[in-house]
Amino acid sequence: MRPDLCPQPVQTGTVDGTAYSVYGAGEPLVLIHGVGMGQGIWASQVAEFARDYQVIVYDMLGHGGSAVPPADVALADYANQLAALLDHLDVASANVVGHSMGALVALEFALAYPARTLRVAALNAVFMRTPEQRSAVLERAAALQHTGVAATVDSTLTRWFGEPVPADLEASAELVKRFLVEVNPVGYARTYGLFASSDAVHAAGLPHLAMPALFMTGEFDPNSSPEMSRAMAELAPQGRLDIVAGARHMMNVTAPDDINQRLRTFLASPVTAGAQESQRSEQP
């Protein structure tokens, strides 16, 4: 469904430094964007899922209308941001879907708040980078600190879409570029710095995920590779792997109908009684 067919929100605002919007009604579904993006990047998913879910989108710290995080921000701060938003919305538990940096936040939330997580989906997530990958991403994080966002936009689009951008992806690339150009430079740099250093943080936690967990990435996403998603899915007790043929990093934007159908299939998976009991027993 086209992003311009996105419905009107039933609720929107800012609470405790978090800008958010709510669409539709039904079982809660949270969508967490990646670094440099904003809640609007999920327009195609909102248009699809607001028909039968209560869809919650928000700007993570340092992005859009949300507050800029401190220099020493931790991944837990992003998970706690979501927990506070769900408290405000009186949502006891939700399905949580994250893309890229948002996938790290989604997993952090699921591990910290298992009783509040029905299912978790990590799209284009990073995990246990190779030394070469880690060096490259740390260099990009340092470049953001020294040269700013503008100097990195073109290289980011090349990584995500290729060079030159294929004709059928030009509109998607322009949409993503607008987010990158308009992002808060300080918030972006601090969030990206955390993203660059957090690929191993869930290695010990994934075997303890107490809910259905989907790890989905694109066949041609070199930095959030199929090997990374496969390793995560093998560690999670209820993990499942989904590799999208021909897709790259921004697949939720470039192939929304395909991604939406795959997410629908996952969201239809049962939450077993045993998993629910485990979630209750592990609630902080």
Side-chain angles (χ1 to χ4, degrees):
M1 187 175 292
R2 300 199 319 268
D4 59 332
L5 296 181
C6 190
Q8 291 298 309
V10 297
Q11 185 176 348
T12 187
T14 302
V15 58
D16 296 330
T18 296
Y20 71 93
S21 301
V22 181
Y23 301 82
E27 188 173 88
L29 171 62
V30 178
L31 304 172
I32 312 173
H33 65 81
V35 64
M37 299 293 102
Q39 59 179 283
I41 203 67
W42 293 109
S44 292
Q45 284 69 45
V46 170
E48 167 66 21
F49 289 102
R51 295 182 294 156
D52 43 10
Y53 286 85
Q54 179 190 29
V55 181
I56 301 164
V57 291
Y58 67 100
D59 296 326
M60 71 166 62
L61 295 171
H63 294 71
S66 291
V68 174
D72 61 348
V73 66
L75 200 54
D77 296 319
Y78 291 85
N80 293 338
Q81 178 193 19
L82 174 54
L85 175 59
L86 294 183
D87 288 343
H88 171 72
L89 297 174
D90 196 27
V91 172
S93 59
N95 299 290
V96 182
V97 176
H99 175 258
S100 194
M101 173 65 180
L104 292 178
V105 177
L107 293 171
E108 183 76 8
F109 180 86
L111 289 166
Y113 299 94
R116 307 194 72 173
T117 311
L118 298 173
R119 303 169 188 83
V120 61
L123 277 56
N124 304 88
V126 295
F127 184 65
M128 303 300 288
R129 294 182 177 105
T130 66
E132 294 77 16
Q133 288 171 328
R134 187 170 293 113
S135 176
V137 75
L138 289 173
E139 286 181 10
R140 291 195 290 270
L144 276 174
Q145 296 286 347
H146 297 297
T147 63
V149 176
T152 66
V153 169
D154 289 342
S155 61
T156 298
L157 293 175
T158 296
R159 286 199 316 276
W160 290 353
F161 294 95
E163 177 60 40
V165 176
D168 61 328
L169 299 183
E170 288 178 353
S172 297
E174 280 301 314
L175 172 66
V176 168
K177 183 177 182 178
R178 287 199 296 273
F179 277 99
L180 291 171
V181 169
E182 295 172 4
V183 72
N184 181 292
V186 175
Y188 182 36
R190 290 177 178 176
T191 305
Y192 196 92
L194 182 62
F195 171 73
S197 59
S198 296
D199 58 292
V201 296
H202 296 135
L206 287 173
H208 303 287
L209 275 179
M211 69 290 297
L214 173 66
F215 300 90
M216 178 166 45
T217 195
E219 177 186 10
F220 299 131
D221 189 342
N223 297 309
S224 301
S225 68
E227 291 75 20
M228 291 178 177
S229 286
R230 182 173 294 108
M232 288 185 283
E234 290 175 352
L235 285 173
Q238 300 180 63
R240 60 186 70 182
L241 176 68
D242 193 352
I243 306 302
V244 183
R248 296 176 69 107
H249 191 66
M250 295 302 299
M251 61 189 192
N252 59 311
V253 175
T254 59
D257 292 341
D258 188 10
I259 300 309
N260 291 350
Q261 184 55 54
R262 292 168 188 259
L263 285 174
R264 272 203 177 276
T265 299
F266 172 66
L267 292 170
S269 62
V271 178
T272 65
Q276 291 172 330
E277 181 60 36
S278 176
Q279 290 170 345
R280 285 192 291 270
S281 67
E282 293 184 32
Q283 186 173 12

